[in-house]
Amino acid sequence: MGGTPSRIVRLSVVGAAHDAPNRSGHALSDRETEQCGMDRTILRPYRFMQNLLNEAGDISATGTFSLNMARRGSA
């Protein structure tokens, strides 16, 4: 280990945009990462595992798990 880093891996969020509520900070950091001149990978996951805790009550009550993850405009 050690030396000069050769790649940046940034964890962002799907829908990061300057006009997106609660996501504009991600958009700014994404843009700065893109403009830094280094090789980079920007990960934009849709959901995080800790968000599933919000579903625990429904899972316990129904014994099932489902999330609506359809894209906008999809039927």
Coordinates of all heavy atoms in Angstrom, one line a residue:
M1 N 0.9 -1.2 0.0 CA 0.0 0.0 0.0 C 0.9 1.2 0.0 O 2.1 1.1 0.1 CB -0.9 0.0 1.2 CG -1.7 -1.2 1.4 SD -3.3 -1.4 0.5 CE -4.3 -0.1 1.1
G2 N 0.3 2.4 -0.1 CA 1.0 3.6 -0.1 C 1.2 4.1 -1.5 O 0.7 3.5 -2.5
G3 N 1.9 5.2 -1.7 CA 2.1 5.8 -3.0 C 1.0 6.7 -3.3 O 0.1 7.1 -2.5
T4 N 1.0 7.1 -4.6 CA 0.0 8.1 -5.1 C -1.3 7.3 -5.6 O -1.1 6.4 -6.4 CB 0.6 8.9 -6.2 OG1 1.8 9.5 -5.7 CG2 -0.4 10.0 -6.7
P5 N -2.4 7.7 -5.2 CA -3.7 7.1 -5.7 C -3.8 7.3 -7.2 O -3.4 8.3 -7.7 CB -4.8 7.7 -5.0 CG -4.2 8.9 -4.2 CD -2.8 8.8 -4.3
S6 N -4.3 6.2 -7.9 CA -4.4 6.3 -9.3 C -5.9 6.4 -9.8 O -6.2 6.7 -10.9 CB -3.7 5.2 -10.0 OG -4.3 3.9 -9.6
R7 N -6.8 6.1 -8.9 CA -8.2 6.1 -9.2 C -9.0 6.6 -8.0 O -8.7 6.2 -6.9 CB -8.7 4.8 -9.6 CG -10.2 4.6 -9.8 CD -10.6 3.3 -10.4 NE -10.2 3.2 -11.8 CZ -10.9 3.7 -12.8 NH1 -12.0 4.3 -12.6 NH2 -10.5 3.5 -14.1
I8 N -10.1 7.4 -8.3 CA -11.0 7.8 -7.2 C -12.3 6.9 -7.4 O -12.8 6.8 -8.6 CB -11.4 9.3 -7.4 CG1 -10.2 10.1 -7.1 CG2 -12.6 9.6 -6.5 CD1 -10.4 11.6 -7.3
V9 N -12.8 6.4 -6.4 CA -14.1 5.7 -6.4 C -15.0 6.5 -5.5 O -14.7 6.6 -4.3 CB -14.0 4.2 -5.9 CG1 -15.4 3.6 -5.9 CG2 -13.0 3.5 -6.9
R10 N -16.0 7.1 -6.0 CA -16.9 7.9 -5.3 C -18.3 7.3 -5.2 O -18.8 6.8 -6.1 CB -17.1 9.3 -6.0 CG -18.1 10.1 -5.4 CD -18.1 11.6 -5.7 NE -19.4 12.2 -5.4 CZ -20.0 12.2 -4.3 NH1 -19.5 11.7 -3.2 NH2 -21.1 12.8 -4.1
L11 N -18.9 7.3 -4.0 CA -20.2 6.8 -3.8 C -21.2 8.0 -3.8 O -21.2 8.9 -3.0 CB -20.3 6.1 -2.4 CG -21.6 5.5 -2.0 CD1 -22.0 4.4 -3.1 CD2 -21.6 4.8 -0.7
S12 N -22.1 8.0 -4.8 CA -23.0 9.0 -5.0 C -24.4 8.5 -4.8 O -24.6 7.6 -4.0 CB -22.8 9.6 -6.4 OG -23.7 10.7 -6.6
V13 N -25.4 9.0 -5.6 CA -26.8 8.5 -5.5 C -27.4 8.7 -6.9 O -27.1 9.6 -7.6 CB -27.5 9.3 -4.4 CG1 -27.6 10.8 -4.8 CG2 -28.9 8.8 -4.1
V14 N -28.3 7.8 -7.2 CA -29.1 7.9 -8.4 C -29.9 9.2 -8.4 O -30.5 9.6 -7.4 CB -30.1 6.7 -8.6 CG1 -31.2 6.9 -9.6 CG2 -29.3 5.4 -9.0
G15 N -29.9 9.9 -9.5 CA -30.7 11.1 -9.6 C -30.0 12.3 -9.1 O -30.6 13.4 -8.9
A16 N -28.7 12.2 -8.9 CA -27.9 13.4 -8.4 C -28.0 14.5 -9.5 O -27.6 14.3 -10.6 CB -26.5 13.0 -8.1
A17 N -28.6 15.6 -9.1 CA -28.6 16.8 -10.1 C -28.7 18.0 -9.2 O -29.1 18.0 -8.1 CB -29.9 16.6 -10.9
H18 N -28.3 19.1 -9.8 CA -28.2 20.4 -9.1 C -29.6 20.9 -8.7 O -29.7 21.6 -7.7 CB -27.5 21.4 -9.9 CG -26.0 21.1 -10.1 ND1 -25.1 21.2 -9.1 CD2 -25.4 20.6 -11.2 CE1 -23.9 20.7 -9.6 NE2 -24.1 20.4 -10.8
D19 N -30.6 20.5 -9.4 CA -32.0 20.9 -9.0 C -32.8 19.8 -8.3 O -33.9 20.0 -8.0 CB -32.7 21.4 -10.2 CG -32.9 20.3 -11.3 OD1 -32.2 19.2 -11.1 OD2 -33.6 20.5 -12.2
A20 N -32.1 18.7 -7.9 CA -32.8 17.7 -7.2 C -32.8 17.9 -5.7 O -31.8 18.2 -5.1 CB -32.1 16.3 -7.5
P21 N -34.0 17.8 -5.1 CA -34.0 18.0 -3.6 C -33.2 16.9 -2.9 O -33.2 15.8 -3.2 CB -35.5 17.8 -3.3 CG -36.1 17.2 -4.5 CD -35.3 17.4 -5.7
N22 N -32.4 17.4 -2.0 CA -31.5 16.5 -1.1 C -30.4 15.8 -1.9 O -29.8 14.9 -1.3 CB -32.4 15.5 -0.4 CG -33.4 16.1 0.5 OD1 -33.2 17.1 1.1 ND2 -34.6 15.5 0.5
R23 N -30.2 16.2 -3.2 CA -29.2 15.5 -3.9 C -28.2 16.4 -4.6 O -27.3 16.0 -5.3 CB -29.8 14.6 -5.0 CG -30.6 13.5 -4.3 CD -31.2 12.5 -5.3 NE -32.0 11.5 -4.6 CZ -32.8 10.8 -5.2 NH1 -33.1 10.9 -6.5 NH2 -33.5 9.9 -4.5
S24 N -28.4 17.8 -4.4 CA -27.6 18.7 -5.1 C -26.1 18.6 -4.6 O -25.2 18.9 -5.4 CB -28.1 20.1 -5.0 OG -28.1 20.5 -3.6
G25 N -25.9 18.3 -3.4 CA -24.5 18.1 -2.9 C -23.8 17.0 -3.6 O -22.6 17.1 -3.8
H26 N -24.6 15.9 -3.8 CA -24.0 14.8 -4.6 C -23.6 15.3 -6.0 O -22.5 14.9 -6.5 CB -25.0 13.6 -4.7 CG -25.1 12.9 -3.4 ND1 -24.1 12.0 -3.0 CD2 -26.0 12.9 -2.4 CE1 -24.5 11.4 -1.9 NE2 -25.6 12.0 -1.5
A27 N -24.5 16.0 -6.6 CA -24.2 16.5 -8.0 C -22.9 17.3 -8.0 O -22.1 17.2 -9.0 CB -25.4 17.3 -8.5
L28 N -22.8 18.2 -7.1 CA -21.6 19.1 -7.0 C -20.3 18.2 -6.9 O -19.3 18.4 -7.6 CB -21.7 20.1 -5.9 CG -20.5 21.0 -5.7 CD1 -20.2 21.8 -6.9 CD2 -20.7 21.9 -4.5
S29 N -20.3 17.3 -5.9 CA -19.2 16.4 -5.7 C -18.9 15.6 -6.9 O -17.7 15.3 -7.2 CB -19.4 15.6 -4.5 OG -19.4 16.4 -3.3
D30 N -20.0 15.1 -7.6 CA -19.8 14.3 -8.8 C -19.1 15.1 -9.8 O -18.1 14.6 -10.5 CB -21.1 13.8 -9.3 CG -21.8 12.7 -8.5 OD1 -21.2 12.3 -7.5 OD2 -22.9 12.3 -8.8
R31 N -19.5 16.3 -10.0 CA -18.9 17.2 -11.1 C -17.4 17.4 -10.7 O -16.6 17.4 -11.6 CB -19.7 18.4 -11.2 CG -19.1 19.3 -12.4 CD -19.9 20.5 -12.7 NE -20.5 21.0 -11.5 CZ -21.0 22.3 -11.4 NH1 -20.9 23.1 -12.4 NH2 -21.5 22.7 -10.3
E32 N -17.1 17.7 -9.5 CA -15.8 18.0 -9.1 C -14.9 16.8 -9.3 O -13.8 16.9 -9.7 CB -15.7 18.5 -7.6 CG -16.3 19.9 -7.5 CD -16.4 20.3 -6.0 OE1 -16.2 19.4 -5.1 OE2 -16.6 21.5 -5.8
T33 N -15.4 15.6 -9.0 CA -14.7 14.3 -9.2 C -14.4 14.1 -10.7 O -13.3 13.8 -11.1 CB -15.5 13.2 -8.6 OG1 -15.7 13.4 -7.2 CG2 -14.8 11.8 -8.9
E34 N -15.5 14.4 -11.5 CA -15.3 14.2 -13.0 C -14.2 15.2 -13.5 O -13.6 14.9 -14.5 CB -16.6 14.5 -13.7 CG -17.6 13.4 -13.4 CD -19.1 13.7 -13.8 OE1 -19.3 14.9 -14.2 OE2 -19.9 12.8 -13.8
Q35 N -14.1 16.4 -13.0 CA -13.2 17.4 -13.5 C -11.8 17.3 -12.9 O -10.9 18.1 -13.2 CB -13.8 18.8 -13.3 CG -15.1 19.0 -14.1 CD -15.8 20.3 -13.7 OE1 -15.4 21.0 -12.8 NE2 -16.8 20.6 -14.5
C36 N -11.5 16.4 -12.0 CA -10.3 16.4 -11.2 C -9.1 15.9 -12.0 O -7.9 16.1 -11.7 CB -10.4 15.6 -9.9 SG -10.3 13.8 -10.2
G37 N -9.3 15.3 -13.2 CA -8.2 14.8 -14.0 C -7.7 13.4 -13.7 O -6.9 12.9 -14.5
M38 N -8.2 12.8 -12.7 CA -7.8 11.4 -12.3 C -8.8 10.4 -12.9 O -10.0 10.8 -13.2 CB -7.8 11.2 -10.8 CG -6.7 12.0 -10.1 SD -6.7 11.7 -8.3 CE -6.2 10.0 -8.3
D39 N -8.4 9.2 -13.1 CA -9.3 8.1 -13.4 C -10.3 8.0 -12.3 O -10.0 8.2 -11.1 CB -8.6 6.8 -13.6 CG -7.8 6.7 -14.9 OD1 -8.1 7.5 -15.8 OD2 -6.8 5.9 -14.9
R40 N -11.6 7.8 -12.6 CA -12.6 7.8 -11.6 C -13.7 6.8 -11.9 O -13.9 6.5 -13.1 CB -13.2 9.1 -11.3 CG -14.1 9.6 -12.4 CD -13.6 10.8 -13.1 NE -14.4 11.2 -14.3 CZ -13.8 11.5 -15.4 NH1 -12.5 11.4 -15.5 NH2 -14.5 11.8 -16.4
T41 N -14.4 6.4 -10.9 CA -15.6 5.6 -11.0 C -16.6 6.2 -10.0 O -16.2 6.4 -8.8 CB -15.3 4.1 -10.6 OG1 -14.4 3.6 -11.5 CG2 -16.6 3.3 -10.7
I42 N -17.8 6.6 -10.5 CA -18.8 7.1 -9.6 C -19.9 6.1 -9.5 O -20.5 5.8 -10.6 CB -19.3 8.5 -10.2 CG1 -18.2 9.5 -10.2 CG2 -20.4 9.0 -9.3 CD1 -18.5 10.8 -10.8
L43 N -20.1 5.6 -8.4 CA -21.2 4.6 -8.1 C -22.4 5.3 -7.7 O -22.4 6.2 -6.9 CB -20.7 3.6 -7.0 CG -19.4 2.9 -7.2 CD1 -19.0 2.1 -6.0 CD2 -19.5 2.0 -8.4
R44 N -23.5 5.0 -8.4 CA -24.8 5.6 -8.1 C -25.9 4.5 -7.8 O -26.8 4.3 -8.6 CB -25.2 6.5 -9.3 CG -24.3 7.7 -9.5 CD -24.8 8.6 -10.6 NE -24.0 9.7 -10.7 CZ -23.1 9.9 -11.7 NH1 -23.1 9.0 -12.7 NH2 -22.4 11.0 -11.7
P45 N -25.8 3.9 -6.6 CA -26.8 2.9 -6.3 C -28.2 3.5 -6.2 O -28.4 4.6 -5.8 CB -26.3 2.3 -5.0 CG -25.5 3.4 -4.4 CD -24.9 4.2 -5.5
Y46 N -29.2 2.6 -6.4 CA -30.6 3.0 -6.3 C -31.0 3.0 -4.8 O -31.7 3.9 -4.4 CB -31.5 2.1 -7.1 CG -32.9 2.4 -7.0 CD1 -33.5 3.5 -7.7 CD2 -33.8 1.6 -6.2 CE1 -34.8 3.8 -7.5 CE2 -35.1 1.9 -6.1 CZ -35.6 3.0 -6.7 OH -36.9 3.3 -6.6
R47 N -30.6 2.0 -4.1 CA -31.0 1.9 -2.7 C -29.9 1.3 -1.9 O -29.0 0.6 -2.4 CB -32.2 0.9 -2.5 CG -33.4 1.4 -3.2 CD -34.8 1.1 -2.7 NE -35.0 0.8 -1.4 CZ -35.9 1.5 -0.6 NH1 -36.5 2.5 -1.1 NH2 -36.2 1.1 0.6
F48 N -29.9 1.6 -0.6 CA -28.9 1.1 0.3 C -29.6 0.1 1.2 O -30.7 0.2 1.6 CB -28.3 2.2 1.1 CG -27.4 3.1 0.3 CD1 -28.0 4.3 -0.2 CD2 -26.1 2.9 0.0 CE1 -27.2 5.2 -1.0 CE2 -25.3 3.7 -0.7 CZ -25.9 4.9 -1.2
M49 N -28.8 -0.9 1.7 CA -29.4 -1.9 2.6 C -30.1 -1.3 3.8 O -31.1 -1.8 4.3 CB -28.4 -3.0 3.0 CG -27.9 -3.9 1.8 SD -29.3 -4.8 1.0 CE -29.8 -5.9 2.3
Q50 N -29.5 -0.3 4.4 CA -30.0 0.3 5.6 C -31.4 0.9 5.3 O -32.2 1.1 6.3 CB -29.1 1.3 6.2 CG -28.8 2.5 5.4 CD -27.5 2.4 4.6 OE1 -27.1 1.3 4.2 NE2 -26.8 3.5 4.4
N51 N -31.7 1.3 4.1 CA -33.1 1.8 3.8 C -34.1 0.7 4.0 O -35.3 1.0 4.1 CB -33.1 2.3 2.4 CG -32.2 3.5 2.2 OD1 -31.4 3.5 1.3 ND2 -32.4 4.6 2.9
L52 N -33.7 -0.5 3.9 CA -34.7 -1.6 4.0 C -35.3 -1.7 5.5 O -36.4 -2.3 5.7 CB -34.1 -3.0 3.7 CG -33.6 -3.1 2.2 CD1 -33.0 -4.4 1.9 CD2 -34.8 -2.9 1.3
L53 N -34.6 -1.1 6.4 CA -35.1 -1.1 7.8 C -36.5 -0.4 7.8 O -37.3 -0.7 8.7 CB -34.2 -0.4 8.7 CG -32.9 -1.2 9.0 CD1 -31.9 -0.3 9.9 CD2 -33.2 -2.5 9.7
N54 N -36.7 0.6 6.9 CA -38.0 1.3 6.9 C -39.2 0.3 6.5 O -40.3 0.6 6.8 CB -38.0 2.4 5.8 CG -37.0 3.5 6.2 OD1 -36.7 3.7 7.4 ND2 -36.4 4.1 5.2
E55 N -38.8 -0.8 5.9 CA -39.8 -1.8 5.5 C -40.1 -2.9 6.5 O -41.0 -3.7 6.3 CB -39.4 -2.4 4.1 CG -38.9 -1.5 3.1 CD -40.0 -0.4 2.7 OE1 -41.2 -0.8 2.7 OE2 -39.6 0.7 2.4
A56 N -39.4 -2.9 7.6 CA -39.4 -4.0 8.6 C -40.9 -4.2 9.1 O -41.3 -5.3 9.3 CB -38.5 -3.7 9.7
G57 N -41.6 -3.1 9.4 CA -42.9 -3.2 9.9 C -43.9 -3.9 9.0 O -44.6 -4.8 9.4
D58 N -43.8 -3.5 7.7 CA -44.7 -4.2 6.7 C -44.3 -5.7 6.5 O -45.2 -6.5 6.3 CB -44.6 -3.5 5.4 CG -45.3 -2.1 5.4 OD1 -46.1 -1.9 6.3 OD2 -45.0 -1.3 4.5
I59 N -43.0 -5.9 6.5 CA -42.5 -7.3 6.3 C -43.0 -8.2 7.5 O -43.5 -9.3 7.3 CB -41.0 -7.4 6.2 CG1 -40.5 -6.7 4.9 CG2 -40.5 -8.8 6.3 CD1 -39.0 -6.4 4.9
S60 N -42.9 -7.6 8.7 CA -43.4 -8.4 9.9 C -44.9 -8.6 9.8 O -45.4 -9.7 10.2 CB -43.0 -7.6 11.1 OG -43.4 -8.3 12.3
A61 N -45.6 -7.6 9.4 CA -47.1 -7.7 9.4 C -47.6 -8.6 8.3 O -48.6 -9.3 8.5 CB -47.7 -6.3 9.3
T62 N -47.0 -8.6 7.1 CA -47.5 -9.3 6.0 C -46.8 -10.6 5.7 O -47.3 -11.5 5.0 CB -47.5 -8.4 4.7 OG1 -46.2 -8.2 4.4 CG2 -48.3 -7.1 4.9
G63 N -45.5 -10.7 6.2 CA -44.7 -11.8 5.8 C -44.2 -11.8 4.4 O -43.7 -12.8 3.9
T64 N -44.3 -10.6 3.8 CA -43.8 -10.5 2.4 C -43.0 -9.3 2.3 O -43.0 -8.4 3.1 CB -45.0 -10.4 1.4 OG1 -45.7 -9.2 1.7 CG2 -45.9 -11.6 1.4
F65 N -42.2 -9.2 1.2 CA -41.3 -8.1 0.9 C -41.5 -7.7 -0.5 O -41.3 -8.5 -1.4 CB -39.9 -8.4 1.3 CG -38.9 -7.4 0.8 CD1 -38.8 -6.2 1.5 CD2 -38.1 -7.6 -0.3 CE1 -37.9 -5.2 1.1 CE2 -37.2 -6.6 -0.7 CZ -37.1 -5.4 0.0
S66 N -41.8 -6.4 -0.8 CA -41.8 -5.9 -2.1 C -41.6 -4.4 -2.1 O -42.0 -3.7 -1.2 CB -43.2 -6.2 -2.8 OG -44.2 -5.6 -2.1
L67 N -41.0 -4.0 -3.2 CA -40.7 -2.6 -3.4 C -41.1 -2.2 -4.8 O -40.8 -3.0 -5.7 CB -39.3 -2.2 -3.1 CG -38.8 -2.3 -1.7 CD1 -37.2 -2.0 -1.7 CD2 -39.4 -1.2 -0.9
N68 N -41.6 -1.0 -5.0 CA -41.9 -0.5 -6.4 C -40.6 0.1 -6.9 O -40.2 1.2 -6.4 CB -43.1 0.5 -6.3 CG -43.4 1.0 -7.7 OD1 -42.8 0.6 -8.7 ND2 -44.2 2.0 -7.8
M69 N -40.0 -0.5 -7.8 CA -38.8 0.0 -8.4 C -38.9 0.2 -9.9 O -38.0 0.2 -10.7 CB -37.6 -0.9 -8.1 CG -37.2 -1.0 -6.7 SD -35.7 -1.8 -6.5 CE -35.5 -1.8 -4.7
A70 N -40.1 0.5 -10.4 CA -40.4 0.7 -11.8 C -39.8 2.0 -12.2 O -39.7 3.0 -11.4 CB -41.9 0.7 -12.1
R71 N -39.3 2.1 -13.4 CA -38.8 3.4 -13.9 C -40.0 4.3 -14.3 O -41.1 3.8 -14.6 CB -38.0 3.1 -15.2 CG -36.7 2.4 -14.9 CD -35.9 2.3 -16.2 NE -34.7 1.7 -15.8 CZ -33.8 1.4 -16.7 NH1 -34.0 1.7 -18.0 NH2 -32.6 0.8 -16.4
R72 N -39.7 5.6 -14.2 CA -40.8 6.5 -14.6 C -41.1 6.3 -16.0 O -40.3 6.1 -16.8 CB -40.2 8.0 -14.4 CG -40.5 8.5 -13.0 CD -40.1 10.0 -13.0 NE -38.9 10.0 -12.2 CZ -38.1 11.1 -12.2 NH1 -38.4 12.2 -12.9 NH2 -37.1 11.1 -11.4
G73 N -42.4 6.3 -16.3 CA -42.9 6.2 -17.6 C -43.1 4.7 -18.0 O -43.6 4.4 -19.0
S74 N -42.7 3.8 -17.1 CA -43.0 2.4 -17.3 C -44.4 2.0 -17.0 O -45.0 2.6 -16.1 CB -42.0 1.5 -16.5 OG -40.7 1.8 -16.9
A75 N -45.0 1.1 -17.7 CA -46.3 0.6 -17.4 C -46.3 -0.5 -16.4 O -45.4 -1.2 -16.2 CB -47.0 0.1 -18.6

